[in-house]
Amino acid sequence: MSTTIVTPPFFLHCSLNSRRNAHVDAYSKKATSFCLNFAGSPFPGGRKLTPSSLALRAPPLPRRPLTLRASTSADTAVVETADQSSDVCFRETFLLKRPVKVEGKITIRLVNGTDEENWQLSVGCSLPGKWVLHWGVTYIGDVGSEWDQPPVEMIPAGSITVKDYAIESPLKKSMLTEGEDFYEVTIDFNTKSSIAAINFVLKDEDSGSWYQHRGRDFKVPLTEFVRDDDNVVGTKTGFGIWPGALGHLSNILLKSEGSDMQEENGNNEVKAEKLQNSCLEGFYEEHSVVKETLVDNSVTVSVRQCPETAKNIVSLETDLPGDVIVHWGVCKGEGRMWELPEKPYPSETALFKNKALRTLLKRHEGQSGSSGSFALDFDLTGFVFVLKLDENTWLNSMGKDFYVPLAGYSAANNQDSETRSGNVSQKDETITAYTDGIINEIRNLVNGISSQKTKTSKNIEVQESILQEIEKLAAEAYSIFRASVPSFTEDVVSDVRPPVKISSGTGSGFEILCQGFNWESHKSGRWYTELHERAAELSSLGFTVVWLPPPTDSVSPEGYMPRDLYNLNSRYGNIDELKSLVKKFHEVGIKVLGDVVLNHRCAQFKNQNGVWNIFGGRLNWDDRAVVADDPHFQGRGNKSSGDNFHAAPNIDHSQEFVRKDIKEWLCWLRDEIGYDGWRLDFVRGFWGGYVKDYLDASEPYFAVGEYWDSLSYTYGEMDHNQDAHRQRIVDWINATGGSASAFDVTTKGVLHAALERCEYWRLSDDKGKPPGVVGWWPSRAITFIENHDTGSTQGHWRFPGGKEMQGYAYILTHPGTPSVFYDHIVSDYRSEISALISLRNRNKIHCRSTIQIAKAERDVYAAIIDDKVAMKIGPGHYEPQTGAKWSLAIEGNNYRVWETS
C-alpha cells in the first residue's frame, strides 16, 4: 500500500507575454540546465545548493494542513490538488519552442508578356514568411554551372545584389482569395537576350531555411539545352524549333544550313539568331514545401517541501497541446547522473530501458494543457527531465536537459564540502608529487624513442611499445587531473584561475567532431547562415567541435584552390556571416576548426613566360614562394618537402618570409574570426615540422591534418597487414611533435574491406589491437567513415552502402576522436548517431580509452571499451559475458551496443 499525496494545482494565471517577462526577470536566479549524465555542477561557477540560494528563488508560502489518501497500488503514487503543508522552495517558468510543420506549395509560372519577345517568370509561395528569391542567370556559351548577375532591366524593384553572381528579390504579399495569403515575385526578360537559363533557390529569412529542387538549384531553361537534369523545371513543355536536348550548355553546337557555322567568329552570332527565333512555351508548376515553424509554449515547475512525509513535491504545469510525456529521472549525491528513484511512481508511468521513467501528464478537461506531480525523497539532489510530444519531437532547455534542484540534500551537502575542504591542501600536494613523477617518466620515454630514431636500423616494435607506454601514463595523469578539479563555493568563484595549458592542438580527449558541410554546401551562397540555424541543434546532439569549410577567396567554389588568403568573402558567405557563425557556435559550447589550405595557392598574375606563379593581395609573393621541382609552375624556391599537388602552385615552406606570413595569417584568423583550431588540408605535400612551427605560433585548441595515402594491396585485394600505411601517418604526427592529430585513413580502409566482404577478422591486427592509427596512437587518431571527398556528390571512396551505422557503431564506441559527416546528421541515421554519441558521453569514453577485442571472426567483430561498453558489428552472434551486469542500450542493422548497469 502506498501513500497518495494531495497538492494544490499550479495553474499559471498570466498571459504568455507576462510569463515571458517573468522568465527574463528571473534569469539570474534560474537553475542552470545540463546535458544527460553531465558530471559538473548544475550552478554557474560551480556554486552549491544552499538554503540561502533557495530562499532567493521563491518566498515560502504559508503552511497549510496536509491531506493524504491511500492508494491500492503498490507501484503508484498519485499527487492530487488540495490544501497541504508544504513550503515552496523553487518555482520557474521555462519557455518552450515547439516545432510545427506546415505544408504549402511553391509555384513557378512562365508566361508571355506584352508580346512574343517579352516574357515573365513568377515564383510564389503559399506559406507565410519573409520569403526571398535568391537567383542568377546562365548566359549562352558559359562554361560550367556558375551563376551570373542578370541585366539591370531584369532585376525587380527592392532587390539587392549578392557579390557579382546573384540577386536577392523579396516576395511580396498578395491576396489571391479572401483570407488566403500568397507571396510572389515576377522577373521580366526579353527572349532576344543571351540568357540561357534562370537559376534560383527560395529562402525564408524568418528561419534562415533554404528550399531547393531535389537538393539542387531550380533551373528554368529559356533556350533548348540539356533538359534531363534533375533540377530543371518546366520540362513538360518544349521549344518550337528544337525538338530535343542538344548537349550541355558549355558545349552547345547549333546546326546550320551554311558551312560558315564552322567558323569560330561567326559561331556566337548564329547561335544568338537561332535562339531568338526559338518558340518559348509557357508552363505552370507546383512543388510541395514543408516549413517548420516554432510555436511559443511554456512549462512551469515548482518544488514544495513536505516535512511530514519527508518528500519534495515536484509539480509540472504546461500549456502544450495533446499528450505530453515527461521523460525523467533523479540525481543522487553530487554526481549529476540520471538515476531511477525508489517506487512508488505516479500513475501512467513506464520504465524506459531501466535508465529513466516516462510519465504521461494528465490533460486538463475543457482547456488546453496538462499537468503532473512527483513525490521524491528528501535525500535526492535533483529532478531532471525532457518533454516528449511524439517519436521525433523532444523539448528541452536550450539544447540541454531541464534540471530542478531539490532542497532536502543541501545541509548534508554543505557539511560534506566543509569536511573535504580541510583535506584539499594535503591532497593537492600528493597529486602534484605523483603527476610530477608521471611527467618525468614520459620525458624519459620520449628521450628513448628519440634515441631509437637515430639508429640506422629503425625498430618499429620498440617505438610502438614506447608510444603505448606514453599513452597509458598520459591517460593516468589526465584521469588524476580530472578527478582533482575541486568544486568551488560562491564565495571563492572570483579567485578561480584558468587551468595550466598542458598541450596545444590536442584538445581534452573527449572531443566529438562534426564536419559541418559537404561538397555542395557552397551552392546556396549562404551556407554560414544556414549552419547558424543548426548550431544549437548540433550542440544538443553532443558535438563539441565543428569543422567549417575553407573560408578564403578561391578559384574553385568549394574553397580548396585559395587565392587571396586575407579575403574571407567566399561562396559560403561573407566575413561578417562567418564571424557571426563562429560566435554562435561558441555560445552553444562548440569549438570551431577552420579548414586551412597551406600546401598550395592560386596565383593572380603570370610571369614573363606566361606561367601563373605571381601572387596578389596582401601576401603578394613572387615565384620564389613556389617550389622548384614542379615543372607546371616554374618556381624559384627550393625543392618540395613532400608530394606535389599539380593543380596549383605548391608553396615552398622552407622560405622564411613564407612561414612568417603564414604564421601571421593564422594568428589573424584566430583573433579576427575566433577559430579555435585547424583542419589542415593535404599535409602530405610539406614536412610536418613546418606544421609544428605554425601550430606553435597560432596555439590552436585542436588541430588535425589530412594525410591521405594509399593502402597496401596484393593482386587487387587489400592486405591484412596495413602497418606500413599507418606508420606513414604516425611518422607525420611525430614530425609535428605530436602537436596535431591526423585522420585515420587506415581505419576507414580496413572498415571498407571488412564490411564489403564480410571479413570482420580484418578489424584485429597481428597483436590483437585495432588495425588503424587508433591501435597505435589513439589520442592522435581522428576516426571517420565519410567526408566531403569520399561521400557527398564526389563519392571518391564511398563507404559501403547501407552499412554506415556499423561504421559509426565502431568509431563512436572506440578510442580515438570520432568525426561525423554532415550528410549523415541530416539523414535517417540521425537518431541512431545521436544515441551513440549520448552513450559515448555518459560512459565518458575518450581518445585514450582502453579496448579489449573480444571477437574478430569472419562474420562478427566485438570489443569491450573501458570495461563499461561492449559492442558488436556484423551478422554473427556475440553476447558479453554474463558475469558482468550488461544491458542492451542500442541496436540496429547488424550492430548492437551494451553498457554496464
Side-chain angles (χ1 to χ4, degrees), residues 137-138 142-148 199 216-217 219 229 231 249-250 520 522-523 557 571:
V137 300
T138 304
D142 279 356
V143 177
S145 59
E146 296 304 312
W147 292 17
D148 283 306
N199 315 287
R216 301 171 62 191
D217 310 328
K219 182 183 290 291
D229 290 346
N231 57 337
L249 185 61
S250 59
E520 303 291 323
H522 68 278
K523 287 197 168 181
R571 290 297 295 271

Side-chain angles (χ1 to χ4, degrees), residues 752-807:
H752 271 246
L755 273 61
E756 278 179 334
R757 304 167 64 94
C758 195
E759 296 175 346
Y760 291 85
W761 49 265
R762 290 181 178 274
L763 293 172
S764 177
D765 67 10
D766 293 336
K767 296 183 179 178
K769 297 179 181 178
V773 178
V774 72
W776 279 2
W777 205 343
S779 67
R780 301 298 185 273
I782 308 300
T783 53
F784 71 108
I785 70 168
E786 209 81 288
N787 63 28
H788 62 292
D789 286 319
T790 68
S792 194
T793 54
Q794 286 206 94
H796 288 329
W797 193 24
R798 202 176 296 280
F799 201 78
K803 300 180 180 179
E804 289 86 355
M805 283 313 305
Q806 288 189 61

Side-chain angles (χ1 to χ4, degrees), residues 11 317 320 363-370:
F11 293 105
E317 179 83 20
L320 288 167
R363 296 175 67 169
H364 299 152
E365 294 182 5
Q367 56 183 314
S368 63
S370 53

